[in-house]
Structure formats: structure tokens, C-alpha cells
Amino acid sequence: MNLLSNFADFMLRRDVPSLKSAGKWSGIGCFQKIPIRILLTVPSLIQIVVVVALIGWLSWWHGQQTVNRLAVQLNREL
């Protein structure tokens, strides 16, 4: 119980420095004005789009290779 009351006292103290007052946590250049929702969403969306595009391209390329192999095999049989 003592640990819980110490934690509650710590959380209620007014002299605890906030993250904004800490110099290294105040934001990095142009990123300090961008909302955190956008900072987390945009990189995730970019990553998803890149992965989907890469998988699509690899599927197309593999399909082309398969069609070419079948065409060569068909020409040999004729």
C-alpha cells in the first residue's frame, strides 16, 4: 500500500517537469508542429503501399517467367 501511495503522491506533484520543458523532448525541427496521429499513420501507410507494390511486381514478374518457360517448352514440342 505504501508503494501505491508513493506513486499517487508522485503523480499529483506539481513540480514534476513536463516533457515539453525538457530540451531534448521539445520536438525535432519541422516535426514538432505535425500531429502525432499523422506521424504514426503516414509511415505505416507508406510501408503498406511499398510492400503491396513489391508483392504485386514480384507476382507479375514470376508470372512472366512462367509464361516464357511454357512458351519455350511448347515450341520444343512442336
Side-chain angles (χ1 to χ4, degrees):
M1 191 67 174
N2 189 17
L3 180 64
L4 187 59
S5 66
N6 286 343
F7 180 72
D9 290 340
F10 173 75
M11 295 302 288
L12 293 175
R13 284 178 45 194
R14 296 289 182 197
D15 61 341
V16 175
S18 68
L19 290 178
K20 288 186 177 181
S21 65
K24 64 180 180 179
W25 297 104
S26 63
I28 300 172
C30 62
F31 294 118
Q32 71 190 122
K33 299 274 184 186
I34 300 173
I36 189 77
R37 177 180 281 174
I38 292 175
L39 282 177
L40 294 175
T41 305
V42 170
S44 299
L45 287 175
I46 291 171
Q47 196 172 26
I48 290 169
V49 168
V50 167
V51 167
V52 168
L54 181 64
I55 290 172
W57 179 79
L58 286 173
S59 297
W60 176 82
W61 183 78
H62 185 65
Q64 289 294 319
Q65 295 296 320
T66 303
V67 167
N68 288 339
R69 273 188 252 130
L70 287 174
V72 168
Q73 184 181 1
L74 183 62
N75 280 335
R76 286 183 187 162
E77 289 180 6
L78 295 176

